[in-house]
Amino acid sequence: VTALTENENPEKLLKSRGYKLTGPRKMLLNILETNRGRCFTAQDLYEQLKETGIEFSTVYRNLELLADEGIVSVIRGNKDTRSYELCSGHHHHHLVCVNCGATRCIDSCPMSLITEHEWQGFTPIGHQFEIIGICPDCAKNSYTEKPG
Amino acid sequence: VTALTENENPEKLLKSRGYKLTGPRKMLLNILETNRGRCFTAQDLYEQLKETGIEFSTVYRNLELLADEGIVSVIRGNKDTRSYELCSGHHHHHLVCVNCGATRCIDSCPMSLITEHEWQGFTPIGHQFEIIGICPDCAKNSYTEKPG
DNA sequence: ATCTATGCAAAGACTTTGCATATCC
DNA sequence: GGATATGCAAAGTCTTTGCATAGAT
């Protein structure tokens, strides 16, 4: 699947691929679109939407669908958490706050560092790179804790 | 906690810190010591030891203990898996085979890449970097699959 | 003898799925 | 009207914990 680019409209893309634009789906995409560059867990999104009567399984299934369709990308946080973000069209990695979960994008990609002999015969498929830290806001409030 | 160095004996270290050297613990460390540079999930280790009558919870608790004590390090694989490896004393990252789970160490660390302005005010605590791919052995057996 | 570690079993947390009904095109 | 998506509920999977007993020093 080709990933969503910055200028594509996720809703149009879904329709063009034969999926229906339902209420829950629109609300979900709306949150993701108004928060480009931020990551959310399924639980985060459910919390924001549950007052509308949406079910967790609906959020879950839609995020999986959007990931399969290359509309959101999946980020693995520090403690086995899975977060989702609207695809931006350019490859990047993240800073993730251990305290509040806020994320920022970084453009440096470590794959450029790996030299030929370091491949040791492996055929690369993908990679993960995340920096865990404390965001400026949480630092201001003198957050201190041992990382999980 | 300071991490185990290459020349330290994990068993002696445990004793010196007041932990008992029990049968299960010795067997567990034995596998890890004879496989330096390889990562195992708790389940992997349990499979190898269950014929001895060991319980999964014992494996689990010991791995957590060893991690807390800086004797093993925790590696997060591609599909939310947690693997453990005896600490080598030097910081490194891994190539992980999607098919068989085999790992290799790489010494390049992406943190050196990140420039001042990319921190965006974050205070780094840690980072994850793993390359997912197909190991030479699995490639030989023409393994092909969509990554998870 | 004392205190820790283990086995066993059960509880938690989170992920994933089945199915009847509601919703979209 | 036909097919997909949702709500609801339950099943799965993996992680984590409680507690009585066995085991280490």
Side-chain angles (χ1 to χ4, degrees):
Chain A
V1 227
T2 49
L4 185 78
T5 63
E6 201 167 355
N7 303 316
E8 276 179 305
N9 181 315
E11 276 125 21
K12 280 186 187 155
L13 186 60
L14 274 184
K15 285 201 80 165
S16 76
R17 293 190 186 164
Y19 298 102
K20 292 177 182 169
L21 260 188
T22 62
R25 213 162 259 174
K26 277 190 262 185
M27 294 189 296
L28 196 56
L29 284 170
N30 185 43
I31 296 181
L32 293 169
E33 287 178 90
T34 56
N35 291 282
R36 276 186 175 275
R38 274 213 60 164
C39 310
F40 301 92
T41 63
Q43 194 60 43
D44 289 340
L45 293 162
Y46 172 62
E47 293 295 334
Q48 290 187 53
L49 291 172
K50 70 178 170 192
E51 55 182 329
T52 70
I54 202 175
E55 267 296 307
F56 178 82
S57 64
T58 301
V59 174
Y60 171 83
R61 277 190 274 222
N62 275 307
L63 289 171
E64 292 298 298
L65 169 71
L66 293 170
D68 283 349
E69 293 298 323
I71 293 170
V72 300
S73 53
V74 183
I75 291 103
R76 282 168 221 284
N78 63 323
K79 22 184 108 165
D80 301 320
T81 54
R82 213 174 357 170
S83 296
Y84 302 84
E85 170 193 33
L86 202 66
C87 285
S88 65
H90 70 284
H91 179 73
H92 63 273
H93 296 279
H94 295 90
L95 298 158
V96 184
C97 179
V98 272
N99 189 39
C100 68
T103 57
R104 302 284 172 81
C105 302
I106 48 179
D107 289 325
S108 296
C109 174
M111 295 303 270
S112 60
L113 262 186
I114 311 300
T115 55
E116 182 81 31
H117 81 276
E118 284 192 294
W119 288 115
Q120 301 173 65
F122 265 66
T123 310
I125 292 178
H127 60 285
Q128 298 174 228
F129 176 43
E130 255 88 57
I131 300 177
I132 313 302
I134 297 168
C135 74
D137 287 349
C138 289
K140 211 176 298 169
N141 306 322
S142 58
Y143 166 77
T144 50
E145 195 200 342
K146 178 186 159 199
Chain B
V1 228
T2 48
L4 186 77
T5 63
E6 202 167 352
N7 302 317
E8 276 179 307
N9 181 316
E11 278 126 19
K12 279 186 188 155
L13 187 59
L14 275 184
K15 286 201 78 167
S16 76
R17 293 190 186 165
Y19 298 103
K20 291 177 184 169
L21 260 188
T22 62
R25 214 162 260 174
K26 277 190 263 188
M27 296 188 296
L28 195 57
L29 284 170
N30 185 45
I31 297 181
L32 294 169
E33 287 178 88
T34 56
N35 291 282
R36 276 187 173 275
R38 275 212 60 163
C39 310
F40 300 94
T41 63
Q43 194 61 42
D44 289 339
L45 293 163
Y46 173 62
E47 294 295 333
Q48 291 188 51
L49 291 172
K50 71 179 172 193
E51 54 183 331
T52 70
I54 203 175
E55 267 295 308
F56 178 82
S57 63
T58 302
V59 175
Y60 171 83
R61 277 189 274 223
N62 275 307
L63 289 171
E64 292 296 298
L65 170 70
L66 293 170
D68 284 349
E69 293 297 323
I71 292 169
V72 301
S73 53
V74 183
I75 292 102
R76 281 168 221 284
N78 64 323
K79 19 185 110 166
D80 301 321
T81 54
R82 211 170 5 166
S83 298
Y84 302 83
E85 169 193 33
L86 203 65
C87 286
S88 65
H90 69 286
H91 180 72
H92 64 274
H93 295 279
H94 295 90
L95 298 158
V96 184
C97 179
V98 273
N99 189 38
C100 67
T103 57
R104 301 284 172 83
C105 302
I106 48 179
D107 289 326
S108 295
C109 175
M111 294 305 269
S112 61
L113 264 185
I114 311 301
T115 55
E116 182 81 31
H117 82 277
E118 284 192 294
W119 288 116
Q120 300 172 66
F122 265 67
T123 309
I125 291 178
H127 61 285
Q128 298 173 227
F129 175 44
E130 256 88 58
I131 301 178
I132 314 303
I134 297 168
C135 75
D137 287 349
C138 290
K140 210 175 298 169
N141 305 324
S142 57
Y143 166 77
T144 49
E145 196 200 342
K146 178 186 158 198

